[in-house]
Amino acid sequence: MASSSISLKRREQPTTRDGDQLIVTPLGAGSEVGRSCVYMSFRGKNILFDCGIHPAYSGMAALPYFDEIDPSTIDVLLITHFHIDHAASLPYFLEKTTFNGRVFMTHATKAIYKLLLTDYVKVSKVSVEDMLFDEQDINKSMDKIEVIDFHQTVEVNGIKFWCYTAGHVLGAAMFMVDIAGVRILYTGDYSREEDRHLRAAELPQFSPDICIIESTSGVQLHQSRHIREKRFTDVIHSTVAQGGRVLIPAFALGRAQELLLILDEYWANHPDLNNIPIYYASPLAKKCMAVYQTYILSMNDRIRNQFANSNPFVFKHISPLNSIDDFSDVGPCVVMATPGGLQSGLSRQLFDSWCSDKKNACIIPGYMVEGTLAKTIINEPKEVTLMNGLTAPLNMQVHYISFSAHADYAQTSTFLKELMPPNIILVHGEANEMMRLKQKLFTEFPDGNTRIMTPKNCESVEMYFNSEKLAKTIGRLAEKTPDVGDSVSGILVKKGFTYQIMAPDELHVFSQLSTATVTQRITIPFAGAFGVIKHRLEKIFESVESSTDEESGLPALIVHERVTVKQESEKHISLQWSSDPISDMVSDSIVALVLNISREVPKIVVEEEDVVKSEEENGKKVEKVIYALLVSLFGDVKLGENGKLVIRVDGNVAQLDKESGEVESEHSGLKERVRVAFERIRSAVKPIPLSASS
Amino acid sequence: MGTSVQVTPLCGVYNENPLSYLVSVDGFNFLIDCGWNDLFDTSLLEPLSRVASTIDAVLLSHPDTLHLGALPYAMKQLGLSAPVYATEPVHRLGLLTMYDQFLSRKQVSDLDLFTLDDIDNAFQNVIRLTYSQNYHLPGKGEGIVIAPHVAGHMLGGSIWRITKDGEDVIYAVDYNHRKERHLNGTVLQSFARPAVLITDAYHALYTNQTARQQRDKEFLDTISKHLEVGGNVLLPVDTAGRVLELLLILEQHWSQRGFSFPIYFLTYVSSSTIDYVKSFLEWMSDSISKSFETSRDNAFLLRHVTLLINKTDLDNAPLGPKVVLASMGSLEAGFARDIFVEWANDPRNLVLFTETGQFGTLARMLQSAPPPKFVKVTMSKRVPLAGEELIAYEEEQNRLKREEALRASLVKEEEIKASHGSDDNSSEPMVIDTKTTHDVVGSHGPAYKDILIDGFVPPSSSVAPMFPFFDNGCEWDEFGEVINPDDYVIKDEDMDRGAMHTGGDVDGRLDEATASLMLDTRPSKVISTELIVTVSCSLVKMDYEGRSDGRSIKSMIAHVSPLKLVLVHAIAEATEHLKQHCLNNICPHVYAPQIEETVDVTSDLCAYKVQLSEKLMSNVIFKKLGDSEVAWVDSEVGKTESDMRSLQPMTGAASPHKPVLVGDLKIADFKQFLSSKGVQVEFAGGGALRCGEYVTLRKVGPTGQKGGASGPQQILIEGPLCEDYYKIRDYLYSQFYLL
């Protein structure tokens, strides 16, 4: 419930930008169907879901609005399934933009992706300039695409993600992304109903903070599978029994396999139909059979059990058809042909020659994109325009039996109710359907804790997540659990979105980093008496201790507990210390001193000055420095009454007590800044403390 | 503070026995692997039997007998009932391995330890995971996450990561860092600093692993040499593990060379094995899945290998040289044993071992150097009963059946009595009656029952035998007869009709012949003969075990550098060797427990969680180092609203800390860096680097093993006071971050 409380908090204080901003922007499929592409950005990580093209447009117009984003900033691109409207702009995006992140899809999707797009390039009859990519681009993109198995967790730059079965088509996945504890579920196209070969979409075990969900079916309810299969087979049976021909324009992959399974089984159970041929006119589907035969692990138990005996995808009553030339149109038959939208190709050729005979039937088996002929004939117009430009009467029966493997309203609402995401973003649906769905969903989640959004393309949805940063203190630092007010100091190591605090000498134990100490030893020519050096050093440094070197027995001095000065020989002394900025500074001053001794031996001046006076002078100097530095930081600094410094920034006033370091101000931000600045300045002008580790 | 972890080996320490370890994480008991050997020695399972009932989850790592062989027996006889977790291939191929084991064993002995049903039951409820799937355990294991990761070695082979509260326990045995034809190398090296690593020392002393190409060449040369002189080649293999790699090598070589010598793969389950393997492409190496994605060539569509499931097919095969891969690799049972006995005395033949045989088996004996000239082999065979034996058997069976029926009828009587308990009260007098009747007809009572067996049981309460009648009295309420809505629901399943007939065997896909063998209930017995087999054929052993060698194991462990290390599964020498090595070079906590010795590897790591406040974080400037970022923090502990510790910025001045240099200096890299800056550098003696004319730089103090830093590095830079000195010192500083 942490997630919902976050959204509650957001609502209470909508003006303050509490937490980190999360942006979701559809670049395609925002209040439309086609060219799915959703951009998401949170805490410096950028993710793109899907990369499709719009089937009703061609050329650049079919692409998602890639110019809204900088492709080079995208860390991960996740493709849910192989359909054109989800994957087809991938070769373009990979090869023709500055994108250099990583791309993931499931095994089956990748195998079919290549076949499908190669076919797409061949089939689409556009001019060379309009071609978004060619076969080479597809082949090159194959090397960049990485595969992910269902449930496998992958981490890229601190972004964790994994996928669930989505139903819909073979290899279809829903992606769950976890960035610093904020979870986003992108369903892609999904179906919660098990069919002949696919599993139903899984219900993720974690509730996401944001659910980006498809809304293709809007508020429609699907008929039960049993009834629609019966309608389907009844129409076909009666049509062929009367000597008619049945045309099923279908997309080559996905639903087509399901329909073929139904037909093959129906024919097997009705021996009287066995003399009526069934064709599937799709070389592509034929090629993909090997993929369907291999990835049975992604299908449901029914297929896997059938597979144990014979391959259900080796059809007994269905034969492939390569082109219309091989087809002798002599009597009743059933032809399943591509493309599904009847735009061109074999399905259109058959439609043109069969549409005026009322004995024939055409079954539209699924969702049709706006602007295609298949969508037009569902409304049963009197006439249709043929490919050759002529018009012909539409006499054939047109049936729309939706085998669409998109979740319907019942599935969507139960899915969302199970997950209870505080933020729902609807994509992949026509604007009207989407609005209806939104209204109806509002009635399902009446408590007002759920935001439902329907951004249009390029419209950003902003959300704020106050993701707590948690660190784990480990090792020596954690030996004692501190109480309030204790101080904790150590190295903070950030990896991905996890933080650890540890003592510096344990860095190599708990992380793959290591520390080093650098010991320095320099020799300086010095011919004078060692005692002189000692004398001069004592004048400058607080602590100069005499000792002797253990090995050589030579006299040595330890200056400021850091630097060892040794008399190496008559003519040389050596300095040894362990590197750190202060020791380096101390050694530098010793070096300068030693060099000056050798140069100015006679000039030993004892400056017996008044100690009090010098301290006074010092104090003045310090004050000057502090003042100068504060001015350089804040600009308007004045000496106010009672000795306090008054600092004004943008109309806010802070009063600083120079002695105690206390700051008074209405504005907490300024107060904090002044305090920190003053602490730092003070520590800079103070003499070097004797021991750094204290 | 840390998660409590105890490790208790149940089998497979200080020797090469099968693997089985009890790992308890905060009181949740994992049994990791449940192996058995090919001899099915029940004494090995004694430690397991003592703890079986307390186990909460079983994790399996590889689909072979050594890693999962005892699962059916333990489930059936030892009271193991925990859910089992494995990858899909381990589940499926493990099941086939057990079928093959059972059927092979059944042919040569009266195996009564477990049945095929026990195997099915054991594997029925395996929860299948994919690689890198973080599975959150339910119930008692709340808070524990398990995940299998690629181990190499076998298809689906896993190293297991068990995570609780951010602490990792990693179990990695029999992994292979080298990529093979059908498998990717392990991802073990991607884990850093787990709390506990449990690993094997199996190959710790094995170092001269030949390069893959050379080994493959030798392998194929040896085989073709023998084929060309007309000999046969036998490769004793496992059922569904390492054999896949061998099949691919042979298949590839045969298609490249256009060899016509037949290759046979003979196990009881060979064709199902390959059928399943064909659909496991997701689990195989990148190159295999890539070739399928681009050209739809399934690597396991074997064109040169004939799959056989019984020996008659092999005997009927055309004469002439051939290659046969047959199970079991140990030569203790299975087709391989029969073929070995047949072929051993022909000097043209070759028996090629691809892995070290299990201890105490025929294969191991033949692998000793020098190989034995003769071996004594007990050949057992199952033959159908005939003649008197058959009659005796049938009589025995009938008697058993009768007894069974009698017992059943008695049980039924009891049931009837119980179900009609209410009636009994009313008919008490009759009961007395019955008794008397019984006494009277006591002499022919049993005969009576003999005739009236099976479903026609005289209730004890009746005087004479009668057909049992149960009044299914329907219940009534104020609306009439109570109905069950389920009876009237139209099942939506009729479309599945066609499929369901053909569904048949739901779980295991079995070859027809195998099925017939399983269903073969013809009475049979096992006869044994002792044979002295002259071993004149060539015996060659090559390493196709698919395990990392000693050197890689050491560098792998060093790379992972666990806080605590537990060593298992190796002979005492190897265990001791690796233990010493790790103690000296990698980590101070190395354990090698004995069987049933529990070692507590609870990390003594202290830790607590704090929230990092926004105020603090806005002042922290991270520096990027590799894939992590580091910063120094000085903070004060406060409380958040939810009463959690949070770190706030210091209110007073932070006490100065000793500066830390963070970074890893490689002298060689630094040399290159300096020369790129135009400084003359060269290596002087003793690992020192001479920079410019006078300045020298060296690493001093104990240097850790490569990768596993054993402490902070110490670098000494010395030289006379000169400009060069300061310049080089600046370059040196540039290699580190000062915090």
Side-chain angles (χ1 to χ4, degrees), chain B residues 305-346:
Chain B
V305 179
T306 315
L307 307 176
L308 300 179
I309 47 169
N310 60 48
K311 180 122 182 311
T312 356
D313 289 346
L314 182 66
D315 296 337
N316 295 338
L319 290 172
K322 48 182 157 291
V323 180
V324 176
L325 298 97
S327 62
M328 302 284 152
S330 61
L331 290 180
E332 280 302 312
F335 297 123
R337 189 178 174 95
D338 304 341
I339 298 170
F340 168 73
V341 172
E342 277 173 39
W343 290 1
N345 55 10
D346 189 337

Side-chain angles (χ1 to χ4, degrees), chain A residues 242-306:
Chain A
Q242 291 161 28
R245 300 160 178 86
V246 183
L247 172 67
I248 309 169
F251 188 67
L253 291 162
R255 293 298 84 204
Q257 277 66 30
E258 174 78 3
L259 297 176
L260 291 175
L261 285 173
I262 297 173
L263 285 175
D264 198 47
E265 216 168 272
Y266 191 75
W267 251 240
N269 294 337
H270 293 80
D272 54 314
L273 291 173
N274 283 3
N275 55 345
I276 293 168
I278 311 175
Y279 301 106
Y280 72 97
S282 166
L284 176 61
K286 207 173 134 194
K287 280 186 204 157
C288 288
M289 278 307 160
V291 181
Y292 271 80
Q293 285 158 19
T294 301
Y295 292 114
I296 56 156
L297 286 187
S298 324
M299 297 186 206
N300 60 19
D301 293 339
R302 186 177 178 274
I303 281 289
R304 285 152 82 177
N305 296 335
Q306 259 178 298

Side-chain angles (χ1 to χ4, degrees), chain A residues 150 153 225-226 265 302 308-309 469 471 473 485-486 488-490 492 494 509 514 517 519-520 584 675 692, chain B residues 130 132 193 492 495-496 502 509 608 610 612 629 631 633-635 637 650-651 656 663 713 715 717 725 729 733:
Chain A
F150 291 101
T153 308
R225 191 178 68 167
H226 176 60
E265 216 168 272
R302 186 177 178 274
N309 296 284
K469 295 184 184 78
T473 312
D486 288 358
V488 174
S489 296
L492 180 64
K494 177 186 177 199
V509 179
S514 49
T517 55
T519 310
Q520 303 191 38
D584 284 1
R675 193 185 62 77
Chain B
T130 52
S132 317
R193 310 274 189 279
D492 217 13
M495 61 147 231
D496 287 340
T502 47
R509 176 177 185 187
Y608 62 85
V610 285
L612 300 169
E629 291 168 64
V633 281
D634 284 310
S635 59
V637 178
M650 297 289 274
T651 43
Q713 312 168 66
I715 296 154
I717 173 168
Y725 179 87
R729 191 179 76 177
Y733 282 175

